[in-house]
Amino acid sequence: MSPPDITVNADAGQRTAVVDPGMATATGNCTPPVISYVREDGLASLGAPFSADFSGSEGMGVTKITWTVTDFVGHSTSCTQKVTVLPLNEV
């Protein structure tokens, strides 16, 4: 299950925000599943700032994170979370 979508203001004086998007969750019957993610903006770290200037598939300031859960036999499923950074104090 994906973490909930998030909307935040950019950090003061910036057009980016450091956001803790959380972590997808899953359970397995035998061994814990492997959870991986891909940020639409191409950054590898969840701790890297999200940008109000990024123009992704959902529009300006919205970065999708695709979470994938894979079990021990290779079955996988994916879900998507949106992180939106507003350039001004609009929240």
Side-chain angles (χ1 to χ4, degrees):
M1 170 182 250
S2 288
D5 293 343
I6 300 170
T7 299
V8 298
N9 290 322
D11 294 338
Q14 305 293 316
R15 295 193 52 84
T16 60
V18 176
V19 177
D20 178 0
M23 180 63 89
T25 58
T27 58
N29 292 332
C30 297
T31 60
V34 175
I35 300 173
S36 60
Y37 64 88
V38 174
R39 282 178 57 154
E40 182 181 24
D41 59 7
L43 298 177
S45 171
L46 289 177
F50 290 82
S51 177
D53 295 325
F54 177 70
S55 183
S57 61
E58 296 288 327
M60 192 65 116
V62 182
T63 303
K64 290 193 314 186
I65 302 173
T66 301
W67 295 93
T68 302
V69 176
T70 305
D71 69 13
F72 75 101
V73 294
H75 297 121
S76 64
T77 188
S78 296
C79 55
T80 303
Q81 175 189 26
K82 294 180 204 172
V83 177
T84 303
V85 177
L86 303 173
L88 304 172
N89 289 330
E90 297 173 356
V91 171

